């Protein structure tokens, strides 16, 4: 069945506060260039306990429905990919369905596998549509997370928070998926995890980078094989990866995308030559890779540099950055996507930018979203980080947003602005 499936609309929600990474570096006695040039960021979102994964997810869905004038009756499935849910049993999706008053006749659930959970949700939604089981309906996929490592940890400058809501349908105005052309790699590793009851992730930082790169090499090899067979890329002087106009990677911190792209090229060159590069070839490759990174990957990093890690949402913030800054010139062009979830599970897939993607993404008002945030001092950041997760500050939510306001009889309560 040759069914078109992909992302029709996209909206983003972020916390009200952000911290400058330069301020963080100075306070921690670190050279600011380590966080800006070394890790590649500028700012990170700071979520207070009222801005939990449910509140961010519901806010993103409210924006999606309003900005794109989507009739909720079109929606037959709601899946939330998250690794920072609020209950061991009740799905974030069920809160979102209730808060938004979405139709009763729908499938709702959460998907979890660290940062891969959002992609798992996207694949489930697109398979549902492609299989013909949606009967003309669309799915909402939400990627919502709070990336939290804690004060004075190595991971502290790589925190962040946010939610990305996607309308997945048979009218992929933004991004049509290359269905069935994907490569997967999974293995049981302890690179990053969060034991039950812990607010902060446990991470073996440098090992997690290696796990990410190994998974990328294997997932890309699987994708490349299928992409060559299906002739969406070809054997030629250009590497297959160079035939993808852009590549968005999962971005735990912006520098990771650069490491990823260099590694992907190294894997491709090794596969082509059947051996390692000589010193001379490596020098030429260093130059080519730097240019390739600037062209193919750097445009995906605009939002990550301002928001930080959003775990499940990170890859889709990369796609949003790209469509926002280059959507018009990329119409009809193919984009590679790499999703990585620690633990681990990963997938490389691709899709094609829609003809009117630029006009469609403008509805997400991404510049206004960033401009509406408030920069906090280190003192306020530390106060927010030390707040009790169960007793959020009582602040009036802004119009169109939701906040968690407390627990009564074991029931979490939310209010809308
Ligand atoms: N000027 C410029 N650059 C500098 C510098 C300076 N003064 N000082 C250091 N740097 C550079 C370093 O050379 C290094 O760059 P390279 O990696 O390119 O060599 C970079 O800054 C970072 O320095 P360190 O490696 O010394 O930093 P660190 O040990 O303090 O921690 C980290 C870095 C491991 C990423 C840590 O922030 C961390 O644990 N983060 C959380 C885990 C994570 O994000 N893992 C990524 C893969 S797992 C995943 O993707 C899932 C997920 O979302 C978590």
């Amino acid at each position: 069945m040759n069914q078109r499936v992909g992302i029709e609309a996209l909206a983003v929600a972020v916390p009200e506060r952000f911290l400058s990474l330069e301020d963080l570096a100075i306070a921690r006695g670190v050279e600011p260039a380590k966080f800006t040039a070394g890790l590649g960021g500028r700012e990170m979102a700071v979520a207070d306990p009222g801005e939990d994964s449910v509140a961010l997810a519901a806010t993103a869905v409210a924006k999606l429905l309003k900005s794109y004038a989507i009739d909720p009756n079109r929606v037959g499935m709601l899946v939330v990919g998250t690794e920072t849910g609020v209950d061991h049993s009740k799905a974030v999706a069920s809160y979102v369905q209730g808060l938004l008053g979405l139709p009763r006749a729908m499938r709702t659930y959460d998907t979890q596998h660290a940062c891969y959970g959002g992609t798992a949700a996207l694949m489930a939604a697109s398979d549902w549509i492609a299989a013909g089981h949606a009967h003309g309906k669309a799915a909402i996929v939400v990627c919502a997370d709070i990336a939290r490592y804690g004060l004075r940890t190595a991971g502290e400058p790589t925190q962040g928070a946010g939610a990305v809501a996607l309308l997945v349908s048979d009218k992929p105005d933004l991004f049509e998926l290359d269905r069935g052309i994907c490569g997967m790699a999974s293995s049981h590793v302890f690179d990053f995890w969060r034991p039950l009851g812990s607010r902060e992730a446990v991470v073996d930082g440098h090992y997690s980078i290696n796990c990410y790169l190994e998974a990328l090499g294997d997932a890309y090899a699987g994708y490349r094989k299928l992409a060559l067979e299906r002739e969406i890329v070809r054997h030629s002087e250009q590497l297959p990866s160079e035939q993808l106009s852009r590549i968005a990677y999962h971005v735990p911190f912006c520098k990771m995308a650069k490491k990823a792209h260099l590694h992907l090229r190294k894997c491709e060159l090794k596969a082509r030559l059947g051996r390692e590069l000589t010193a001379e070839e490596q020098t030429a490759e260093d130059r080519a890779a730097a240019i390739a990174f600037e062209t193919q990957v750097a445009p995906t990093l605009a939002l990550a540099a301002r928001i930080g890690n959003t775990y499940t949402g990170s890859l889709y913030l990369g796609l949003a950055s790209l469509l926002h800054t280059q959507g018009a010139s990329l119409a009809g062009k193919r984009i590679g996507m790499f999703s990585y979830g620690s633990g681990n599970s990963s997938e490389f897939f691709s899709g094609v930018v829609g003809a009117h993607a630029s006009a469609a993404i403008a509805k997400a008002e991404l510049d206004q979203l960033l401009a509406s945030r408030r920069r906090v001092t280190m003192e306020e950041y530390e106060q927010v980080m030390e707040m009790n997760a169960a007793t959020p500050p009582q602040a009036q939510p802004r119009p169109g947003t939701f906040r968690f306001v407390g627990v009564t009889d074991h029931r979490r309560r939310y209010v809308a602005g």
Side-chain angles (χ1 to χ4, degrees):
M1 191 172 172
N2 195 20
Q3 167 96 63
R4 297 178 71 218
V5 181
I7 301 171
E8 178 180 331
L10 178 156
V12 178
V14 289
E16 203 177 313
R17 299 174 182 81
F18 73 91
L19 180 71
S20 149
L21 290 185
E22 283 197 11
D23 292 352
L24 178 63
I26 291 164
R28 298 290 177 250
V30 171
E31 173 65 40
K34 174 173 176 184
F35 292 174
T36 52
L39 295 173
R42 272 175 63 189
E43 298 161 358
M44 67 182 191
V46 178
D48 79 48
E51 298 166 305
D52 66 4
S53 53
V54 169
L56 290 170
T59 301
V61 173
K63 270 190 196 178
L64 183 82
L65 296 175
K66 186 167 179 225
S67 307
Y68 294 83
I70 296 163
D71 175 359
N73 292 313
R74 268 188 71 199
V75 183
M77 180 170 179
L78 170 67
V79 194
V80 178
T82 183
E83 57 182 295
T84 49
V86 296
D87 191 282
H88 292 314
S89 173
K90 187 171 165 60
V92 171
S94 74
Y95 284 96
V96 174
Q97 183 195 21
L99 290 170
L100 273 297
L102 295 176
R104 181 168 170 77
M106 69 161 63
R107 193 176 272 173
T108 60
Y109 60 96
D110 291 356
T111 46
Q112 183 193 325
H113 194 142
C115 309
Y116 176 73
T119 299
L122 173 63
M123 295 306 164
S126 54
D127 288 349
W128 174 65
I129 293 164
H133 298 163
H135 306 296
K137 295 223 170 182
I140 292 178
V141 165
V142 195
C143 309
D145 272 307
I146 319 289
R148 183 180 163 103
Y149 297 94
L151 300 175
R152 298 176 193 82
T153 60
E156 186 178 28
T158 67
Q159 300 177 116
V164 182
L166 310 171
L167 185 73
V168 181
S169 79
D170 56 6
K171 290 185 256 331
D173 290 348
L174 288 180
F175 190 63
E176 179 176 349
L177 293 168
D178 290 322
R179 287 205 311 107
I181 308 181
C182 47
M184 277 77 78
S186 305
S187 59
H188 172 38
V189 290
F190 281 101
D191 59 335
F192 165 108
W193 65 105
R194 191 166 63 90
L196 293 178
S198 169
R199 272 178 97 185
E200 279 88 27
V202 183
V203 61
D204 189 343
H206 291 277
Y207 175 59
S208 72
I209 294 173
N210 291 340
C211 290
Y212 177 123
L213 294 178
E214 272 182 24
L216 168 63
D218 292 344
Y220 179 69
Y223 168 82
R224 184 174 179 270
K225 183 172 179 294
L226 286 173
L228 284 164
E229 277 170 22
R230 298 268 290 266
E231 299 187 336
I232 63 171
V233 295
R234 290 185 166 73
H235 286 293
S236 76
E237 200 157 307
Q238 262 195 331
L239 294 171
S241 70
E242 290 172 333
Q243 296 165 43
L244 298 170
S245 291
R246 303 286 181 270
I247 302 180
Y249 293 95
H250 168 61
V251 184
F253 54 94
C254 291
K255 178 67 128 354
M256 189 70 223
K258 188 168 197 175
K259 289 179 189 291
H261 198 57
L262 267 48
H263 183 74
L264 182 139
R265 289 180 59 95
K266 189 176 165 190
C267 294
E268 282 217 293
L269 286 166
K270 202 174 156 190
R272 173 180 279 185
L273 297 171
R275 58 167 172 80
E276 299 292 339
L277 271 64
T278 62
E280 200 179 323
E281 285 167 343
Q282 187 60 55
T283 307
E285 165 55 11
D286 290 346
R287 276 196 299 271
I291 296 167
F293 169 77
E294 285 305 323
T295 313
Q296 287 180 279
V297 184
T300 67
L301 300 176
L303 290 169
R306 307 281 308 274
I307 297 170
N309 195 356
T310 48
Y311 289 163
T312 49
S314 142
L315 177 63
Y316 301 96
L317 278 187
L319 180 65
S321 300
L322 197 55
L323 299 179
H324 178 57
T325 54
Q326 302 187 330
S329 59
L330 290 175
K333 302 269 172 65
R334 179 160 278 110
I335 312 297
M337 306 274 287
F338 177 64
S339 181
Y340 178 77
S342 288
N344 63 15
S345 180
S346 70
E347 186 158 345
F348 197 105
F349 60 102
S350 62
V352 175
V353 175
H356 306 293
S358 180
I361 197 75
K363 295 180 187 168
E365 299 187 323
L366 296 171
D367 290 332
Q368 293 89 321
L369 180 78
L370 293 179
S372 69
R373 304 181 306 163
R374 183 165 64 79
R375 178 175 172 173
V376 290
T377 59
M378 273 303 293
E379 193 187 5
E380 186 175 348
Y381 157 68
E382 293 195 349
Q383 276 170 5
V384 170
M385 289 291 287
E386 280 164 358
M387 286 173 181
N388 184 325
T391 52
Q394 298 301 306
Q396 178 59 34
R398 289 177 172 182
T401 71
F402 290 83
R403 276 185 69 80
F404 165 58
V405 290
V407 180
T408 311
D409 288 339
H410 305 285
R411 291 165 167 83
R412 294 178 76 86
R413 289 179 297 109
Y414 292 83
V415 294

